[in-house]
Amino acid sequence: MAKAFEQPIYVTRPLLPDIEDVTERLKTVWDSRQLTNFGKQHDELSRQLKTYLEVGHISMFSNGTLALLLGLKALKLTGEVITTPFTFPATVQALDWNNLTPVFCDIDPMTFNIDADKIEALITEKTSAILAVHVFGNPCEVEKIQTIADKHGLKVIYDGAHAFGSKINGVPISSFGDMTMFSFHATKLFNTIEGGALTYSDPALGRQLDLLKNFGIASAEEVVLSGLNAKMNEVQAGVGLEVLKVIEEERHKRHAVKKAYEEHLAEIQGIRVLTVLDGQSSSYQYFVIEIDEAVFGRSRNAVHKELQKYNVFARKYFYPLCSDFDWYSELPSARPEHLPHAQQAVQQVLAMPYYGDLPISSVAEICGIIRELYVTQKSLSQI
């Protein structure tokens, strides 16, 4: 009989470098007297991330939401943008803040990414771009999406918040599309406490992004456009430099945790693992399962609630659908009948506790709880 954990186990835990290393780094920042405005820590992290992500152009921001918001602004998009309803609110909120209308496209029922085969039917004379999300780090059908975009003259932007370090057939995920946003929030594999970045293909965007994230200031005496304050500061960048040193060790640990989950869940009917990538292809950001109530015997919501009784705090991620937000209720594309796969997915997905320091023994216990829920339900159904 499964027992509750003494201490809560949450869905994730921030990757923290050694505090002494961070302290040494902060001493360097303090000695410099430059806490923000593109200092040495900022520039060094930018260089190292270009190498790690294998990209030619990168711009760093105070958070991922502002990165995406200003990236869309830099691309000078207008009208409508085709996107997914199955994503974190920030994806579509960045469209709102650019006065762009989201056109929601249903998702692929296997990957939960935007269904590339359904995009073209949604294109109108108002469409300016496709904003896709690499959901849980699983890559979109980038070639199909690019073919559609090239045919209709559209920009392609990827929300890669979950995809730090991911690759597609050995090619870095940021190599695809016009722009990719990465989140460096504390919950992400790589973090700068808060932070984010854009990688982009057109070098001319660099100057525009620099202006947009720094009030539009071109020089000490010249402001050339209306911008925001979205700069990554030196403390964020300094922490990021130390986190980057321990990323590969964390990835190896998460690989082991992932394999343990897969092994213990393999024989439980009605459970499907969504995060299947391994090795260089995987960001190891989340471990996510889909629960088929008809087969498993209990709903995702029931499993989520039962796990909490054992001090295990998984997450209904993503929930709710962005298309269900009140302010999209008048959009034809937001109607539930147009998004059947997304409507089903949002009721079945559960992100499990997942981080490098999660003991393998705890994984076995968590899966044991799920197994008991399945066995108990099946036993009850046979009475």
Side-chain angles (χ1 to χ4, degrees), residues 108-135:
D108 183 304
M110 294 303 295
T111 66
F112 289 8
N113 288 328
I114 192 170
D115 189 337
D117 292 331
K118 294 182 179 178
I119 291 174
E120 197 160 17
L122 298 172
I123 295 173
T124 71
E125 69 279 358
K126 297 180 180 179
T127 308
S128 61
I130 301 166
L131 172 55
V133 180
H134 300 300
V135 175

PDB file of all heavy atoms in Angstrom, residues 108-135:
ATOM      1  N   ASP A 108      -2.231  18.226 -33.353  1.00  0.00           N
ATOM      2  CA  ASP A 108      -2.034  16.824 -33.721  1.00  0.00           C
ATOM      3  C   ASP A 108      -2.301  15.975 -32.478  1.00  0.00           C
ATOM      4  O   ASP A 108      -1.700  16.215 -31.421  1.00  0.00           O
ATOM      5  CB  ASP A 108      -0.601  16.632 -34.207  1.00  0.00           C
ATOM      6  CG  ASP A 108      -0.315  15.218 -34.679  1.00  0.00           C
ATOM      7  OD1 ASP A 108      -0.531  14.273 -33.887  1.00  0.00           O
ATOM      8  OD2 ASP A 108       0.134  15.054 -35.819  1.00  0.00           O
ATOM      9  N   PRO A 109      -3.170  14.960 -32.552  1.00  0.00           N
ATOM     10  CA  PRO A 109      -3.512  14.192 -31.351  1.00  0.00           C
ATOM     11  C   PRO A 109      -2.389  13.319 -30.814  1.00  0.00           C
ATOM     12  O   PRO A 109      -2.477  12.834 -29.682  1.00  0.00           O
ATOM     13  CB  PRO A 109      -4.703  13.327 -31.822  1.00  0.00           C
ATOM     14  CG  PRO A 109      -4.522  13.209 -33.294  1.00  0.00           C
ATOM     15  CD  PRO A 109      -3.932  14.516 -33.730  1.00  0.00           C
ATOM     16  N   MET A 110      -1.311  13.156 -31.587  1.00  0.00           N
ATOM     17  CA  MET A 110      -0.186  12.346 -31.125  1.00  0.00           C
ATOM     18  C   MET A 110       0.898  13.193 -30.461  1.00  0.00           C
ATOM     19  O   MET A 110       1.451  12.826 -29.439  1.00  0.00           O
ATOM     20  CB  MET A 110       0.408  11.555 -32.292  1.00  0.00           C
ATOM     21  CG  MET A 110      -0.531  10.504 -32.854  1.00  0.00           C
ATOM     22  SD  MET A 110      -1.098   9.311 -31.604  1.00  0.00           S
ATOM     23  CE  MET A 110       0.459   8.510 -31.178  1.00  0.00           C
ATOM     24  N   THR A 111       1.220  14.346 -31.057  1.00  0.00           N
ATOM     25  CA  THR A 111       2.308  15.180 -30.529  1.00  0.00           C
ATOM     26  C   THR A 111       1.809  16.338 -29.681  1.00  0.00           C
ATOM     27  O   THR A 111       2.560  16.899 -28.898  1.00  0.00           O
ATOM     28  CB  THR A 111       3.137  15.766 -31.686  1.00  0.00           C
ATOM     29  OG1 THR A 111       2.311  16.678 -32.440  1.00  0.00           O
ATOM     30  CG2 THR A 111       3.660  14.665 -32.604  1.00  0.00           C
ATOM     31  N   PHE A 112       0.552  16.729 -29.864  1.00  0.00           N
ATOM     32  CA  PHE A 112      -0.066  17.894 -29.219  1.00  0.00           C
ATOM     33  C   PHE A 112       0.511  19.212 -29.714  1.00  0.00           C
ATOM     34  O   PHE A 112       0.222  20.268 -29.163  1.00  0.00           O
ATOM     35  CB  PHE A 112       0.002  17.813 -27.696  1.00  0.00           C
ATOM     36  CG  PHE A 112      -0.908  16.752 -27.106  1.00  0.00           C
ATOM     37  CD1 PHE A 112      -1.575  15.845 -27.916  1.00  0.00           C
ATOM     38  CD2 PHE A 112      -1.096  16.651 -25.754  1.00  0.00           C
ATOM     39  CE1 PHE A 112      -2.417  14.871 -27.389  1.00  0.00           C
ATOM     40  CE2 PHE A 112      -1.945  15.677 -25.208  1.00  0.00           C
ATOM     41  CZ  PHE A 112      -2.602  14.780 -26.034  1.00  0.00           C
ATOM     42  N   ASN A 113       1.342  19.164 -30.772  1.00  0.00           N
ATOM     43  CA  ASN A 113       1.780  20.376 -31.458  1.00  0.00           C
ATOM     44  C   ASN A 113       0.704  20.813 -32.444  1.00  0.00           C
ATOM     45  O   ASN A 113      -0.220  20.056 -32.762  1.00  0.00           O
ATOM     46  CB  ASN A 113       3.076  20.120 -32.230  1.00  0.00           C
ATOM     47  CG  ASN A 113       4.269  19.959 -31.320  1.00  0.00           C
ATOM     48  OD1 ASN A 113       4.342  20.565 -30.256  1.00  0.00           O
ATOM     49  ND2 ASN A 113       5.232  19.146 -31.731  1.00  0.00           N
ATOM     50  N   ILE A 114       0.821  22.024 -32.955  1.00  0.00           N
ATOM     51  CA  ILE A 114      -0.096  22.507 -33.978  1.00  0.00           C
ATOM     52  C   ILE A 114      -0.117  21.511 -35.140  1.00  0.00           C
ATOM     53  O   ILE A 114       0.919  20.976 -35.538  1.00  0.00           O
ATOM     54  CB  ILE A 114       0.314  23.923 -34.446  1.00  0.00           C
ATOM     55  CG1 ILE A 114      -0.795  24.560 -35.287  1.00  0.00           C
ATOM     56  CG2 ILE A 114       1.647  23.904 -35.185  1.00  0.00           C
ATOM     57  CD1 ILE A 114      -0.564  26.037 -35.568  1.00  0.00           C
ATOM     58  N   ASP A 115      -1.310  21.229 -35.651  1.00  0.00           N
ATOM     59  CA  ASP A 115      -1.466  20.273 -36.747  1.00  0.00           C
ATOM     60  C   ASP A 115      -1.140  20.975 -38.058  1.00  0.00           C
ATOM     61  O   ASP A 115      -1.938  21.764 -38.569  1.00  0.00           O
ATOM     62  CB  ASP A 115      -2.888  19.726 -36.769  1.00  0.00           C
ATOM     63  CG  ASP A 115      -3.064  18.565 -37.739  1.00  0.00           C
ATOM     64  OD1 ASP A 115      -2.258  18.455 -38.689  1.00  0.00           O
ATOM     65  OD2 ASP A 115      -4.000  17.772 -37.557  1.00  0.00           O
ATOM     66  N   ALA A 116       0.042  20.696 -38.603  1.00  0.00           N
ATOM     67  CA  ALA A 116       0.497  21.378 -39.816  1.00  0.00           C
ATOM     68  C   ALA A 116      -0.444  21.155 -40.991  1.00  0.00           C
ATOM     69  O   ALA A 116      -0.543  22.002 -41.891  1.00  0.00           O
ATOM     70  CB  ALA A 116       1.909  20.912 -40.171  1.00  0.00           C
ATOM     71  N   ASP A 117      -1.152  20.030 -41.010  1.00  0.00           N
ATOM     72  CA  ASP A 117      -2.062  19.727 -42.114  1.00  0.00           C
ATOM     73  C   ASP A 117      -3.332  20.570 -42.079  1.00  0.00           C
ATOM     74  O   ASP A 117      -4.093  20.575 -43.045  1.00  0.00           O
ATOM     75  CB  ASP A 117      -2.444  18.245 -42.098  1.00  0.00           C
ATOM     76  CG  ASP A 117      -1.273  17.342 -42.438  1.00  0.00           C
ATOM     77  OD1 ASP A 117      -0.372  17.793 -43.187  1.00  0.00           O
ATOM     78  OD2 ASP A 117      -1.236  16.197 -41.951  1.00  0.00           O
ATOM     79  N   LYS A 118      -3.556  21.285 -40.985  1.00  0.00           N
ATOM     80  CA  LYS A 118      -4.768  22.088 -40.860  1.00  0.00           C
ATOM     81  C   LYS A 118      -4.491  23.583 -40.952  1.00  0.00           C
ATOM     82  O   LYS A 118      -5.418  24.404 -40.861  1.00  0.00           O
ATOM     83  CB  LYS A 118      -5.477  21.771 -39.544  1.00  0.00           C
ATOM     84  CG  LYS A 118      -6.005  20.339 -39.491  1.00  0.00           C
ATOM     85  CD  LYS A 118      -6.740  20.055 -38.194  1.00  0.00           C
ATOM     86  CE  LYS A 118      -7.285  18.623 -38.190  1.00  0.00           C
ATOM     87  NZ  LYS A 118      -7.973  18.294 -36.918  1.00  0.00           N
ATOM     88  N   ILE A 119      -3.231  23.954 -41.132  1.00  0.00           N
ATOM     89  CA  ILE A 119      -2.874  25.375 -41.140  1.00  0.00           C
ATOM     90  C   ILE A 119      -3.362  26.082 -42.392  1.00  0.00           C
ATOM     91  O   ILE A 119      -3.964  27.158 -42.336  1.00  0.00           O
ATOM     92  CB  ILE A 119      -1.343  25.550 -41.000  1.00  0.00           C
ATOM     93  CG1 ILE A 119      -0.891  25.146 -39.594  1.00  0.00           C
ATOM     94  CG2 ILE A 119      -0.925  26.980 -41.305  1.00  0.00           C
ATOM     95  CD1 ILE A 119       0.615  25.159 -39.406  1.00  0.00           C
ATOM     96  N   GLU A 120      -3.112  25.489 -43.534  1.00  0.00           N
ATOM     97  CA  GLU A 120      -3.356  26.194 -44.799  1.00  0.00           C
ATOM     98  C   GLU A 120      -4.810  26.610 -44.963  1.00  0.00           C
ATOM     99  O   GLU A 120      -5.109  27.678 -45.521  1.00  0.00           O
ATOM    100  CB  GLU A 120      -2.907  25.336 -45.980  1.00  0.00           C
ATOM    101  CG  GLU A 120      -2.745  26.121 -47.266  1.00  0.00           C
ATOM    102  CD  GLU A 120      -1.868  25.423 -48.287  1.00  0.00           C
ATOM    103  OE1 GLU A 120      -1.633  24.205 -48.156  1.00  0.00           O
ATOM    104  OE2 GLU A 120      -1.410  26.103 -49.225  1.00  0.00           O
ATOM    105  N   ALA A 121      -5.729  25.797 -44.492  1.00  0.00           N
ATOM    106  CA  ALA A 121      -7.156  26.119 -44.626  1.00  0.00           C
ATOM    107  C   ALA A 121      -7.543  27.359 -43.832  1.00  0.00           C
ATOM    108  O   ALA A 121      -8.606  27.953 -44.084  1.00  0.00           O
ATOM    109  CB  ALA A 121      -7.988  24.926 -44.167  1.00  0.00           C
ATOM    110  N   LEU A 122      -6.710  27.775 -42.887  1.00  0.00           N
ATOM    111  CA  LEU A 122      -7.015  28.925 -42.036  1.00  0.00           C
ATOM    112  C   LEU A 122      -6.405  30.221 -42.553  1.00  0.00           C
ATOM    113  O   LEU A 122      -6.666  31.297 -42.005  1.00  0.00           O
ATOM    114  CB  LEU A 122      -6.509  28.660 -40.614  1.00  0.00           C
ATOM    115  CG  LEU A 122      -7.143  27.470 -39.890  1.00  0.00           C
ATOM    116  CD1 LEU A 122      -6.415  27.197 -38.572  1.00  0.00           C
ATOM    117  CD2 LEU A 122      -8.629  27.708 -39.637  1.00  0.00           C
ATOM    118  N   ILE A 123      -5.613  30.149 -43.606  1.00  0.00           N
ATOM    119  CA  ILE A 123      -4.934  31.330 -44.132  1.00  0.00           C
ATOM    120  C   ILE A 123      -5.917  32.211 -44.906  1.00  0.00           C
ATOM    121  O   ILE A 123      -6.698  31.732 -45.727  1.00  0.00           O
ATOM    122  CB  ILE A 123      -3.759  30.916 -45.044  1.00  0.00           C
ATOM    123  CG1 ILE A 123      -2.689  30.184 -44.223  1.00  0.00           C
ATOM    124  CG2 ILE A 123      -3.133  32.141 -45.718  1.00  0.00           C
ATOM    125  CD1 ILE A 123      -1.569  29.596 -45.052  1.00  0.00           C
ATOM    126  N   THR A 124      -5.881  33.513 -44.609  1.00  0.00           N
ATOM    127  CA  THR A 124      -6.692  34.499 -45.328  1.00  0.00           C
ATOM    128  C   THR A 124      -5.780  35.626 -45.801  1.00  0.00           C
ATOM    129  O   THR A 124      -4.562  35.613 -45.563  1.00  0.00           O
ATOM    130  CB  THR A 124      -7.786  35.087 -44.423  1.00  0.00           C
ATOM    131  OG1 THR A 124      -7.167  35.950 -43.435  1.00  0.00           O
ATOM    132  CG2 THR A 124      -8.572  33.993 -43.711  1.00  0.00           C
ATOM    133  N   GLU A 125      -6.368  36.618 -46.431  1.00  0.00           N
ATOM    134  CA  GLU A 125      -5.577  37.766 -46.885  1.00  0.00           C
ATOM    135  C   GLU A 125      -5.042  38.577 -45.705  1.00  0.00           C
ATOM    136  O   GLU A 125      -4.127  39.396 -45.869  1.00  0.00           O
ATOM    137  CB  GLU A 125      -6.416  38.667 -47.799  1.00  0.00           C
ATOM    138  CG  GLU A 125      -7.543  39.424 -47.128  1.00  0.00           C
ATOM    139  CD  GLU A 125      -8.802  38.575 -46.923  1.00  0.00           C
ATOM    140  OE1 GLU A 125      -8.794  37.398 -47.353  1.00  0.00           O
ATOM    141  OE2 GLU A 125      -9.782  39.097 -46.347  1.00  0.00           O
ATOM    142  N   LYS A 126      -5.577  38.328 -44.496  1.00  0.00           N
ATOM    143  CA  LYS A 126      -5.106  39.042 -43.308  1.00  0.00           C
ATOM    144  C   LYS A 126      -3.963  38.324 -42.582  1.00  0.00           C
ATOM    145  O   LYS A 126      -3.348  38.899 -41.683  1.00  0.00           O
ATOM    146  CB  LYS A 126      -6.264  39.226 -42.328  1.00  0.00           C
ATOM    147  CG  LYS A 126      -7.415  40.084 -42.847  1.00  0.00           C
ATOM    148  CD  LYS A 126      -8.512  40.203 -41.806  1.00  0.00           C
ATOM    149  CE  LYS A 126      -9.677  41.049 -42.310  1.00  0.00           C
ATOM    150  NZ  LYS A 126     -10.754  41.142 -41.281  1.00  0.00           N
ATOM    151  N   THR A 127      -3.676  37.104 -42.967  1.00  0.00           N
ATOM    152  CA  THR A 127      -2.667  36.317 -42.257  1.00  0.00           C
ATOM    153  C   THR A 127      -1.264  36.835 -42.558  1.00  0.00           C
ATOM    154  O   THR A 127      -0.893  37.029 -43.716  1.00  0.00           O
ATOM    155  CB  THR A 127      -2.751  34.830 -42.676  1.00  0.00           C
ATOM    156  OG1 THR A 127      -4.088  34.371 -42.525  1.00  0.00           O
ATOM    157  CG2 THR A 127      -1.818  33.989 -41.812  1.00  0.00           C
ATOM    158  N   SER A 128      -0.478  37.044 -41.506  1.00  0.00           N
ATOM    159  CA  SER A 128       0.901  37.515 -41.690  1.00  0.00           C
ATOM    160  C   SER A 128       1.946  36.541 -41.175  1.00  0.00           C
ATOM    161  O   SER A 128       3.122  36.656 -41.523  1.00  0.00           O
ATOM    162  CB  SER A 128       1.097  38.872 -41.006  1.00  0.00           C
ATOM    163  OG  SER A 128       0.855  38.779 -39.613  1.00  0.00           O
ATOM    164  N   ALA A 129       1.530  35.567 -40.326  1.00  0.00           N
ATOM    165  CA  ALA A 129       2.541  34.683 -39.738  1.00  0.00           C
ATOM    166  C   ALA A 129       1.906  33.422 -39.160  1.00  0.00           C
ATOM    167  O   ALA A 129       0.684  33.349 -38.971  1.00  0.00           O
ATOM    168  CB  ALA A 129       3.327  35.421 -38.646  1.00  0.00           C
ATOM    169  N   ILE A 130       2.764  32.480 -38.872  1.00  0.00           N
ATOM    170  CA  ILE A 130       2.418  31.267 -38.130  1.00  0.00           C
ATOM    171  C   ILE A 130       3.249  31.269 -36.855  1.00  0.00           C
ATOM    172  O   ILE A 130       4.473  31.389 -36.913  1.00  0.00           O
ATOM    173  CB  ILE A 130       2.716  29.998 -38.952  1.00  0.00           C
ATOM    174  CG1 ILE A 130       1.927  29.998 -40.263  1.00  0.00           C
ATOM    175  CG2 ILE A 130       2.399  28.742 -38.135  1.00  0.00           C
ATOM    176  CD1 ILE A 130       2.422  28.965 -41.264  1.00  0.00           C
ATOM    177  N   LEU A 131       2.587  31.174 -35.725  1.00  0.00           N
ATOM    178  CA  LEU A 131       3.270  31.103 -34.428  1.00  0.00           C
ATOM    179  C   LEU A 131       3.008  29.718 -33.844  1.00  0.00           C
ATOM    180  O   LEU A 131       1.912  29.424 -33.369  1.00  0.00           O
ATOM    181  CB  LEU A 131       2.762  32.192 -33.487  1.00  0.00           C
ATOM    182  CG  LEU A 131       3.229  32.148 -32.027  1.00  0.00           C
ATOM    183  CD1 LEU A 131       4.749  32.122 -31.927  1.00  0.00           C
ATOM    184  CD2 LEU A 131       2.656  33.323 -31.241  1.00  0.00           C
ATOM    185  N   ALA A 132       4.013  28.865 -33.926  1.00  0.00           N
ATOM    186  CA  ALA A 132       3.878  27.483 -33.463  1.00  0.00           C
ATOM    187  C   ALA A 132       4.663  27.280 -32.180  1.00  0.00           C
ATOM    188  O   ALA A 132       5.576  28.057 -31.863  1.00  0.00           O
ATOM    189  CB  ALA A 132       4.350  26.511 -34.539  1.00  0.00           C
ATOM    190  N   VAL A 133       4.313  26.232 -31.453  1.00  0.00           N
ATOM    191  CA  VAL A 133       4.944  25.938 -30.162  1.00  0.00           C
ATOM    192  C   VAL A 133       5.505  24.517 -30.193  1.00  0.00           C
ATOM    193  O   VAL A 133       4.801  23.581 -30.572  1.00  0.00           O
ATOM    194  CB  VAL A 133       3.930  26.070 -29.009  1.00  0.00           C
ATOM    195  CG1 VAL A 133       4.596  25.762 -27.670  1.00  0.00           C
ATOM    196  CG2 VAL A 133       3.309  27.459 -29.001  1.00  0.00           C
ATOM    197  N   HIS A 134       6.769  24.375 -29.797  1.00  0.00           N
ATOM    198  CA  HIS A 134       7.356  23.046 -29.625  1.00  0.00           C
ATOM    199  C   HIS A 134       6.900  22.532 -28.258  1.00  0.00           C
ATOM    200  O   HIS A 134       7.593  22.664 -27.246  1.00  0.00           O
ATOM    201  CB  HIS A 134       8.879  23.116 -29.689  1.00  0.00           C
ATOM    202  CG  HIS A 134       9.415  23.650 -30.992  1.00  0.00           C
ATOM    203  ND1 HIS A 134       9.160  23.045 -32.202  1.00  0.00           N
ATOM    204  CD2 HIS A 134      10.200  24.719 -31.264  1.00  0.00           C
ATOM    205  CE1 HIS A 134       9.768  23.724 -33.173  1.00  0.00           C
ATOM    206  NE2 HIS A 134      10.400  24.747 -32.621  1.00  0.00           N
ATOM    207  N   VAL A 135       5.715  21.939 -28.222  1.00  0.00           N
ATOM    208  CA  VAL A 135       5.062  21.583 -26.968  1.00  0.00           C
ATOM    209  C   VAL A 135       5.864  20.526 -26.201  1.00  0.00           C
ATOM    210  O   VAL A 135       6.198  19.470 -26.747  1.00  0.00           O
ATOM    211  CB  VAL A 135       3.633  21.078 -27.233  1.00  0.00           C
ATOM    212  CG1 VAL A 135       2.985  20.593 -25.943  1.00  0.00           C
ATOM    213  CG2 VAL A 135       2.790  22.198 -27.855  1.00  0.00           C
TER     214      VAL A 135
END
